[in-house]
Amino acid sequence: MLKTFKIGGVHPEENKFSAGAAIEKLPLPETVSIPVAQHIGAPAKVLVKRKDEVKVGTVIAESGGFVSANIHSSVSGVVQKIDNVYDASGYRRQAVIIKVEGDEWEEQIDQSDELKKDINLNQKEIVDKINAAGIVGLGGATFPTHVKLMVPEGKKAEMLLINGVECEPYLTADHRLMLEKKHEMMMGIRILMTALGVQKAAIGIENNKPDAIEELRKISVEYPGIDIVPLKVKYPQGGEKQLIKAVMNREVPSGKLPIEVGAVVQNVGTAFAVYEAVQKNKPLIERVVTVTGKSVKKPSNLMVRIGTPVENLIEAAGGLPEDTGKVVSGGPMMGKALNDLAAPVTKGTSGVLLFKDSEAHRIDYEACIRCSKCVTACPMGLEPYQLMNYATHEMWKESEADRIMDCIECGSCSFTCPSYRPLLDYIRLGKSNVSQIIRSRKQ
C-alpha cells in the first residue's frame, strides 16, 4: 500500500495539462523588475543606483538580516531606476528595474552543461555559498535555504526529505525538473546531505508521476543514501508536516519546526538551485514556471529569468485566451489572483494559471449546515468552521487556543464546503490578528 498522511486531505481534479511539455527557455524581456523582497524575512538592501551597469549574476541587493537573502541581477544591462512595482501579492514593493542589453554573465559562473560530481567543500563552505547565491525554498514558501541548513544547538538532523510531490493541481514545473535535470537534482541532494551531515535522504513523489519515479529509481544506485518513495495522490501532501508524516511516520508538534522530529525538508527545485550555486557558482537568477489553464493554447513549462513580466509568459503560451476571467500566480488551491499582468516573476513563482471566466467567480455562500466536511478535510486536525466563527466575531483569544496558527492555508476546507463558505479567507484574517497579538506579547 502506498504511503500518505493520515489526517484529512482532499483530491481536487488534477488537470496536469503541461505534464508532457518539456522545459523551454523563455526569450529575454526588454526590461526586468526585480523585487528586493522575494523571500520570508527582511527585504534585501539595494546596492545599485540608476545608470549602473550590471551583468547576469551581479549582486544588486544584499541580505537584510539573518532571515533574508541576496538578490542578483538576472540579466545584463543598465539600471533604469529603483521604484515600487506591483508584485504577485497585489502590493507595491521596492524593485530594481533594469533595461536589458545583451546577455553578459559574471565570469565566475560556469554556464556549461557538464555535470560536476565531486563535492570539494566542507559543511560551512557549502552553507556560505548557498547563502551568497540567494537560494530560497522554491516550493512556494521562499524560506532562505541557508537558515534551514543551520541546525539549532540541541537538535539533530537525521534525514533530508525532498519534496517532489507537487500536489497542487495544474502545476508541473517540479515534475519536468525531475525528468530533465535528474542528475543535477540528485547532486544537489548530495550537497544538502553533506551540509546537514546526514546519511539518509528520501524523495517523496506522488504516484501520478510514474515516469519521474522510474527515472529517479534507475539513477538512484549512483547516489548512495537517497531513496525514492512513491506516495498516494492526496492534497496537500506537499505540506512539510504532511510529507514528514507520509514518509517518516513522525508528527511535528504544534508550533514546532520539522527539525523537532529530525527532519529537514527541501523542494526538488531548491535541490537543483543548490547544485547550480555550489558546483557552477550560479546564483538564483531563473526558475521553471508552469503556464497553464483549460483554454491556454500551449500549456508550457518555461525557464524564466527572475523579474520577467508575467504577460511575457502568457504570450509564449499562446496568448491570453478571450474567455479568461482570472489570472493566478501559483496553483488553484494556494495561489493568489494577479491584479497586474506586468507583475514580475519572482523566486517563489511556480506557476501562472489562467481561469476561464466561467470558473473565476465565487458562488454566493450560505449558512453552515454543520456537516463537518471541513473538519474531516483539514490536514492539521483543526475545526475550520469554528475558526471562521471566531474571526467573524473577532474572538482572537479563542482562535489562538484552538490552534489557528497551525493552519497551513491549504484551502482544503473551502474546497470541500457544500455551502461555499469562505473559510480560508476568515482563517487568514484570524491568523493575521493572532500573529500580531503574539508578536506584541514578546516585545
Side-chain angles (χ1 to χ4, degrees), residues 87-107:
D87 67 6
S89 70
Y91 292 99
R92 288 173 65 85
R93 299 189 193 278
Q94 190 179 41
V96 178
I97 292 101
I98 302 169
K99 179 176 172 44
V100 179
E101 293 181 358
D103 192 25
E104 190 176 352
W105 291 54
E106 291 285 355
E107 288 182 6

Side-chain angles (χ1 to χ4, degrees), residues 87-381:
D87 67 6
S89 70
Y91 292 99
R92 288 173 65 85
R93 299 189 193 278
Q94 190 179 41
V96 178
I97 292 101
I98 302 169
K99 179 176 172 44
V100 179
E101 293 181 358
D103 192 25
E104 190 176 352
W105 291 54
E106 291 285 355
E107 288 182 6
Q108 73 275 15
I109 300 174
D110 179 352
Q111 297 183 64
S112 74
D113 291 330
E114 178 194 359
L115 181 69
K116 291 194 170 180
K117 298 191 80 168
D118 293 332
I119 303 171
N120 299 316
L121 303 180
N122 61 33
Q123 287 178 273
K124 183 179 183 306
E125 289 169 334
I126 290 173
V127 173
D128 287 347
K129 207 158 184 182
I130 290 170
N131 184 8
I135 308 298
V136 301
L138 297 186
T142 64
F143 194 85
T145 300
H146 68 279
V147 179
K148 268 192 175 182
L149 298 176
M150 300 168 77
V151 178
E153 199 172 333
K155 308 296 179 189
K156 181 174 175 19
E158 298 174 36
M159 177 183 274
L160 171 66
L161 202 47
I162 299 297
N163 185 353
V165 172
E166 201 164 49
C167 58
E168 270 269 6
Y170 290 90
L171 302 187
T172 58
D174 287 350
H175 185 180
R176 293 308 310 182
L177 204 57
M178 287 189 283
L179 289 173
E180 299 179 42
K181 299 291 182 183
K182 49 185 180 285
H183 283 287
E184 291 87 346
M185 188 197 73
M186 293 294 261
M187 277 306 304
I189 295 170
R190 291 291 302 163
I191 293 166
L192 288 167
M193 291 169 70
T194 302
L196 288 166
V198 300
Q199 302 302 313
K200 293 191 300 181
I203 310 174
I205 308 172
E206 288 195 334
N207 206 35
N208 58 359
K209 306 172 193 61
D211 48 358
I213 293 170
E214 184 182 349
E215 287 295 318
L216 292 177
R217 273 183 166 162
K218 276 184 196 169
I219 67 167
S220 63
V221 293
E222 301 175 39
Y223 303 92
I226 304 177
D227 290 331
I228 314 302
V229 183
L231 300 169
K232 183 179 177 181
V233 178
K234 187 161 71 164
Y235 180 87
Q237 196 139 237
E240 280 191 338
K241 294 180 179 179
Q242 286 65 43
L243 188 59
I244 291 168
K245 179 64 180 174
V247 177
M248 300 175 68
N249 196 26
R250 295 181 184 180
E251 291 186 11
V252 181
S254 173
K256 301 294 182 182
L257 298 171
I259 193 64
E260 199 72 25
V261 296
V264 173
V265 182
Q266 300 283 358
N267 174 267
V268 292
T270 311
F272 175 63
V274 163
Y275 164 78
E276 295 204 308
V278 175
Q279 304 294 75
K280 300 280 187 173
N281 299 317
K282 181 181 171 185
L284 184 49
I285 52 96
E286 61 184 357
R287 65 157 298 152
V288 183
V289 181
T290 299
V291 186
T292 185
K294 290 179 180 173
S295 293
V296 171
K297 285 183 184 172
K298 185 187 169 193
S300 305
N301 297 294
L302 304 172
M303 184 66 83
V304 183
R305 300 283 179 94
I306 302 299
T308 301
V310 165
E311 56 199 0
N312 288 32
L313 282 66
I314 295 172
E315 194 59 35
L320 191 71
E322 287 186 4
D323 62 356
T324 301
K326 184 187 291 185
V327 179
V328 170
S329 174
M333 300 296 284
M334 297 185 73
K336 291 182 177 176
L338 290 170
N339 61 1
D340 186 350
L341 297 185
V345 167
T346 62
K347 296 176 182 179
T349 306
S350 55
V352 175
L353 173 57
L354 280 63
F355 278 122
K356 296 196 293 184
D357 188 59
S358 58
E359 303 171 308
H361 300 282
R362 292 194 179 195
I363 298 172
D364 291 340
Y365 71 89
E366 300 173 2
C368 175
I369 59 172
R370 307 289 181 186
C371 66
S372 78
K373 282 191 174 181
C374 61
V375 179
T376 304
C378 179
M380 295 303 297

